[in-house]
């Protein structure tokens, strides 16, 4: 009897794995088609200077509405794209679109100091990544210093020497390296000194309960002060309330990003925000 149950469990397990693999394969095929059909979009979320509440830059975020009407969460399609080797093309699309929107904003009005784009570990090691980026920057007449490449902590841990070489190469071109979702992985701040990091982005998980949780307060305060001492700037993700913002200001966090200021917005809306005709934060308009 136990033997039978075991066999059945095994059968269920493999069927589930098969279904998962098939789902992944379908999604991967759909990503390819969506890229060809121009179904991917890029939206932008403002990043705010905490000292004067001015908009210092934006983060580019991919969006995909599947042809069956379902908005696929970025985390899901990014993971599948990484696993199936299409992240290079998808990431290149995001970079290309974001840089051309940046060039367009520049042609309309004031220049935005920063453009942050997320890049995957697999993507930065695609042949010619740094060279292609240099060409894109040149084409769009954007200074390398304006481009902030957001990488996650894991990228720093895995394949240390190879990643360090690549990050130094990108840093030498002038681009800024940002560590995204900091604090959820394994690295410590002192470990970051091995890499050319300009900005540390504090994970939303620490900001969420910062007003009520003394541990999250201690962690965030420590990240802000140590990063500052190491010559790095800090961005707090997922800022949703004035109380969170006030605490972050008291910790001397440099920048903030979150629904308090704006949800990710279309490129045209960002152009209006830069021009100042659209209050990106209602309370600050009065
Ligand atoms: P991320 O880089 O950490 O981006 C921040 C995420 O937090 C975004 O989710 C954003 O919409 C969300 N967010 C911002 N403010 C708030 C807030 O106040 N409250 C809450 N609850 N959420 C907030 P999104 O757009 O779903 O993206 C998820 C992740 O997908 C990103 O996390 C990033 O890791 C990845 N991703 C998105 N676009 C790209 C891309 O072009 N390339 C790569 N490699 N990854 C991307
Ligand atoms: Mg990011
Ligand atoms: Mg993040
Ligand atoms: Mg995140």
């Amino acid at each position: 009897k136990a033997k039978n149950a075991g066999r059945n469990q095994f059968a269920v397990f493999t069927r589930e794995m098969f279904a998962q693999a098939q789902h992944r394969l379908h999604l991967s095929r759909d990503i390819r088609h969506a890229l060809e059909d121009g179904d991917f979009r890029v939206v932008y979320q403002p990043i705010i200077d905490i000292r004067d509440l001015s908009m210092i830059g934006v983060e580019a975020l991919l969006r995909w509405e599947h042809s069956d009407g379902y908005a696929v969460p970025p985390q899901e399609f990014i993971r599948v794209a990484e696993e199936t080797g299409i992240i290079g093309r998808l990431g290149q699309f995001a970079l290309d679109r974001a840089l051309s929107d940046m060039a367009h904003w520049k042609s309309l009005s004031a220049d935005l100091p920063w453009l942050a784009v997320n890049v995957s570990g697999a993507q930065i090691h695609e042949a010619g990544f740094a060279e292609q980026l240099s060409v894109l920057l040149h084409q769009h007449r954007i200074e390398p210093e304006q481009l902030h490449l957001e990488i996650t902590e894991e990228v720093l841990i895995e394949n240390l020497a190879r990643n360090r070489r690549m990050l130094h190469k990108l840093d030498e071109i002038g681009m800024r390296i940002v560590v995204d979702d900091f604090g959820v992985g394994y690295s410590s701040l002192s470990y970051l000194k091995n890499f050319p990091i300009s900005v540390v982005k504090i994970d939303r998980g620490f900001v969420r309960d910062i007003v009520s949780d003394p541990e999250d307060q201690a962690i965030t305060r420590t990240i802000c002060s140590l990063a500052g001492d190491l010559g790095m700037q800090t961005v707090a993700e997922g800022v949703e309330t004035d109380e969170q913002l006030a605490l972050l200001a008291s910790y001397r966090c440099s920048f903030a990003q979150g629904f308090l200021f704006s949800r990710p917005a279309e490129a045209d809306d960002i152009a209006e925000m830069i021009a100042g005709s659209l209050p990106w934060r209602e309370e600050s308009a009065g």
Side-chain angles (χ1 to χ4, degrees), residues 2-284:
K3 210 173 166 186
N4 265 342
R7 201 175 290 147
N8 284 340
Q9 268 170 13
F10 184 68
V12 168
F13 181 57
T14 51
R15 206 175 294 133
E16 207 167 88
M17 279 179 63
F18 178 72
Q20 261 170 27
Q22 201 161 34
H23 174 69
R24 204 158 52 223
L25 219 60
H26 284 160
L27 211 53
S28 156
R29 180 204 57 198
D30 293 350
I31 293 172
R32 248 175 255 276
H33 288 161
L35 266 171
E36 282 159 17
D37 298 346
D39 287 345
F40 279 98
R41 298 184 302 124
V42 177
V43 291
Y44 301 90
Q45 188 175 35
I47 300 169
I48 273 66
D49 188 332
I50 292 183
R51 285 168 312 179
D52 60 6
L53 300 185
S54 64
M55 180 161 84
I56 188 89
V58 291
E59 176 178 11
L61 294 160
L62 271 170
R63 291 290 178 266
W64 177 30
E65 196 174 306
H66 195 278
S67 47
D68 66 13
Y70 163 65
V72 189
Q75 251 132 2
E76 187 176 347
F77 66 73
I78 296 290
R79 185 171 38 80
V80 172
E82 283 171 347
E83 287 167 359
T84 57
I86 31 176
I87 189 64
R89 277 180 59 198
L90 186 57
Q92 202 61 34
F93 165 80
L95 275 164
D96 199 1
R97 171 56 50 83
L99 285 169
S100 44
D101 282 337
M102 180 81 161
H104 181 61
W105 298 327
K106 192 173 173 174
S107 76
L108 289 178
S109 61
D111 208 358
L112 198 58
W114 298 355
L115 170 68
V117 184
N118 295 284
V119 292
S120 294
Q123 190 188 346
I124 63 172
H125 293 299
E126 294 253 321
F129 175 75
E131 292 75 11
Q132 278 171 24
L133 258 186
S134 299
V135 170
L136 274 179
L137 286 167
H138 186 77
Q139 270 175 4
H140 292 302
R141 295 190 166 73
I142 290 162
E143 298 301 324
E145 290 73 19
Q146 292 181 276
L147 182 60
H148 288 212
L149 299 175
E150 296 196 358
I151 55 159
T152 52
E153 262 180 299
E154 295 90 71
V155 177
L156 303 184
I157 317 286
E158 305 158 352
N159 215 333
L160 201 79
R162 187 164 169 243
N163 289 328
R164 187 155 48 206
R165 269 199 307 279
M166 178 52 77
L167 295 182
H168 275 289
K169 186 170 173 180
L170 297 167
D171 175 66
E172 271 156 29
I173 298 172
M175 295 173 242
R176 299 272 151 83
I177 310 296
V178 180
V179 182
D180 206 347
D181 303 340
F182 186 79
V184 290
Y186 322 88
S187 56
S188 63
L189 270 168
S190 62
Y191 180 86
L192 293 184
K193 72 174 198 276
N194 298 315
F195 299 90
I197 307 293
S198 302
V199 183
V200 174
K201 257 184 132 159
I202 303 161
D203 190 71
R204 194 164 77 224
F206 299 111
V207 177
R208 195 191 307 120
D209 301 323
I210 199 173
V211 175
S212 58
D213 187 331
E215 285 174 0
D216 287 342
Q217 289 170 7
I219 292 167
T220 306
R221 191 173 51 226
T222 305
I223 295 176
C224 290
S225 103
L226 260 172
D229 290 347
L230 291 170
M232 301 168 191
Q233 293 177 307
T234 41
V235 181
E237 301 189 314
V239 180
E240 296 184 354
T241 68
D242 283 311
E243 292 74 21
Q244 291 169 333
L245 183 66
L247 266 179
L248 292 161
S250 76
Y251 301 160
R252 298 189 187 284
C253 180
S254 329
F255 306 103
Q257 183 180 347
F259 297 167
L260 175 63
F261 305 102
S262 172
R263 296 198 172 240
E266 301 293 330
D268 287 347
D269 294 331
I270 296 293
E272 290 187 45
M273 292 180 206
I274 299 172
S277 56
L278 197 81
W280 45 263
R281 194 184 165 205
E282 273 139 44
E283 300 95 299
S284 75

